[in-house]
Amino acid sequence: PTGTTGAYIMEQRELVIIGAGPAGLTAAVYGKRAGLDVLVLEKGKAGGQILITSEIENWPGTISASGVGLADSFRAHAEHFKAEFRTATVKELRPAGGRTVVVTDQGEIEAKALIIATGANFRKQGCPGEKEFTGKGVSYCAVCDAAFFEELEVAVIGGGNTAVEEACYLTQFAEKVYIVHRRDQFRADKLVAERALKNPKIVPLWDSVLEAIEGDGLVERMVLKNVKNGEKNVVAVNGVFIFIGTLPNAAFLSGVCETTEQGWIITDADMRTSTPGIFAAGNVVHVHDLVDFVTGESQRAGAAAARFARQGPAPEGRVLEVENGASVTYTVPGKIRLANVDKAVEIFFRVNRVCGNSVIRVTAGSEQLAAYKREHLAPGEMERISVPRALLEKADGCITVSVEEA
């Protein structure tokens, strides 16, 4: 956009979320409920990896749902609160002056707060034939490609929840499904593993790794190696589905915030990264099997990002966290009280959860400093009170914050 003089004016937003999977969409809901201007950037269809999951049975309140159906409901929830969506590919992040410039193929956006929720991608096996036969029998998505293998024989590589669940799904189409696993038992949850082992179409190939994929134009066979005796075995198959883990979608970071050696973003309990104003949530932080873990992180990231967008970095010193019906006491250390306090001490606190009408009380010892009613104190809103030095001395440095129903 340009101003009246023709000069370029960068788009500015309070909260930008990169990624529209379960993590990004949950963060969008929490950001909008906190009153922020929220923009969600996604390079494809909203939903993330759950789009290629045939059935989800571990989402609380829903016994069974398709990945596509759950993804659609997540987006509809965010749209209900008027979150804005935009198709764009993020190329670079540039932190500047406490804000972050998000460089995309559609232009640049300056964000007061940024949440990275870009998720992860499937790890490649790296064996001969994998690249050549991708789309010609090699797949990373059973939901997408299972129908192509009706009444044929296929193999699934891996032994975790994803691999075993997708193998079970493939039996609805394929005549036989081999599960190739380097150990002598699955790493999947007990219930998932038992279901697979009871399926007459599933044949486990234990203690084996994939050495090569071969064929003439299309996949025709795979070469396996036994990890215990080194013997090689050729198995005829028409398709190979690879589910051996994931890698973070974080190539655009380029050192902007701290990551592990593998590229997973490192955060604190509030999902803050090492760079002020940048938060992360979902599979780009940790690899989870449960969608609710991802969305739980996103709730914290959304609340923390809202605080940052409104108030900037947290103040120096102790910040009390208080829940409804609870009280928290902060004792100012004696050395600080005697040596460094001039006229007063500033105490910051915020309420995590407030239900209905509440009364907030602040006391120093037996002296009440403040008592006021609030119809609603949004989670994360910062409150501040100044405690005079004389009262602090009299109260032996103890300040108590309590919240109770009105």
Side-chain angles (χ1 to χ4, degrees):
T2 58
T4 55
T5 62
Y8 173 75
I9 301 175
M10 186 180 300
E11 181 180 3
Q12 297 186 345
R13 308 302 287 257
E14 288 183 307
L15 175 59
V16 173
I17 299 170
I18 306 174
L25 294 172
T26 303
V29 169
Y30 274 75
K32 286 302 296 182
R33 291 186 73 245
L36 295 184
D37 163 36
V38 177
L39 173 64
V40 182
L41 303 177
E42 175 58 61
K43 63 181 180 181
K45 178 178 170 60
Q49 284 193 22
I50 63 171
L51 288 173
I52 59 172
T53 302
S54 59
E55 187 176 19
I56 295 174
E57 299 178 319
N58 51 15
W59 180 247
T62 303
I63 295 174
S64 178
S66 69
V68 172
L70 197 58
D72 288 345
S73 69
F74 284 171
R75 171 156 183 161
H77 195 168
E79 288 178 331
H80 172 75
F81 288 105
K82 310 301 182 185
E84 181 181 343
F85 288 81
R86 183 179 303 172
T87 301
T89 299
V90 175
K91 297 182 176 181
E92 181 186 357
L93 300 180
R94 293 202 303 261
R99 302 193 178 195
T100 304
V101 176
V102 183
V103 181
T104 79
D105 59 351
Q106 302 297 313
E108 298 183 354
I109 307 160
E110 183 182 80
K112 283 187 177 181
L114 172 70
I115 297 177
I116 301 170
T118 46
N121 249 327
F122 292 111
R123 186 189 298 271
K124 304 298 189 293
Q125 176 75 32
C127 69
E130 178 182 14
K131 183 177 180 181
E132 294 85 344
F133 289 105
T134 295
K136 301 176 182 179
V138 172
S139 175
Y140 306 89
C141 176
V143 175
C144 308
D145 299 329
F148 294 118
F149 298 92
E150 192 162 2
E151 297 184 2
L152 299 176
E153 296 188 3
V154 300
V156 168
I157 313 300
N161 279 333
T162 300
V164 179
E165 288 173 348
E166 296 306 283
C168 290
Y169 176 77
L170 283 164
T171 61
Q172 299 178 48
F173 302 87
E175 180 68 25
K176 181 185 292 185
V177 180
Y178 297 100
I179 303 182
V180 181
H181 188 41
R182 64 172 55 250
R183 298 179 176 84
D184 58 3
Q185 61 181 2
F186 294 131
R187 291 185 296 107
D189 294 340
K190 183 179 179 181
L191 182 63
V192 175
E194 288 177 348
R195 184 185 302 161
L197 293 173
K198 290 178 182 177
N199 192 314
K201 287 189 174 183
I202 290 180
V203 179
L205 298 176
W206 305 117
D207 304 315
S208 299
V209 294
L210 181 64
E211 286 276 291
I213 301 170
E214 300 176 344
D216 183 11
L218 297 173
V219 170
E220 296 176 349
R221 58 191 170 272
M222 61 181 177
V223 180
L224 305 180
K225 178 182 177 181
N226 188 290
V227 296
K228 291 186 175 179
N229 57 31
E231 292 183 359
K232 293 189 177 182
N233 183 33
V234 178
V235 180
V237 292
N238 301 105
V240 178
F241 290 80
I242 300 175
F243 301 106
I244 55 172
T246 54
L247 293 172
N249 291 325
F252 58 87
L253 286 179
S254 301
V256 166
C257 58
E258 188 178 1
T259 64
T260 67
E261 290 184 2
Q262 294 76 29
W264 308 103
I265 299 175
I266 297 173
T267 69
D268 65 9
D270 280 330
M271 313 315 295
R272 290 177 292 214
T273 71
S274 58
T275 302
I278 299 181
F279 304 79
N283 285 344
V284 75
V285 179
H286 303 292
V287 178
H288 300 299
D289 289 326
L290 300 180
V291 178
D292 52 333
F293 282 175
V294 173
T295 53
E297 284 184 352
S298 306
Q299 293 167 12
R300 296 197 298 275
R307 288 196 297 269
F308 188 93
R310 281 186 175 141
Q311 303 159 357
E316 295 294 328
R318 181 71 177 270
V319 177
L320 303 183
E321 301 280 356
V322 193
E323 292 189 0
N324 195 46
S327 63
V328 175
T329 299
Y330 172 48
T331 301
V332 180
K335 188 171 94 170
I336 296 177
R337 182 172 70 251
L338 296 174
N340 298 336
V341 175
D342 182 16
K343 294 181 179 180
V345 168
E346 299 291 311
I347 299 298
F348 296 85
F349 65 91
R350 57 188 171 217
V351 177
N352 288 338
R353 290 191 293 271
V354 175
C355 305
N357 297 329
S358 300
V359 175
I360 299 174
R361 300 185 190 278
V362 184
T363 58
S366 60
E367 299 283 342
Q368 182 168 283
L369 302 179
Y372 52 96
K373 292 184 179 181
R374 291 292 294 268
E375 291 184 2
H376 177 70
L377 180 62
E381 281 190 38
M382 197 77 74
E383 298 281 306
R384 179 177 66 182
I385 190 164
S386 179
V387 184
R389 173 174 175 164
L391 186 55
L392 190 65
E393 294 284 350
K394 182 179 178 181
D396 199 25
C398 293
I399 297 96
T400 300
V401 178
S402 64
V403 179
E404 58 195 55
E405 290 292 339

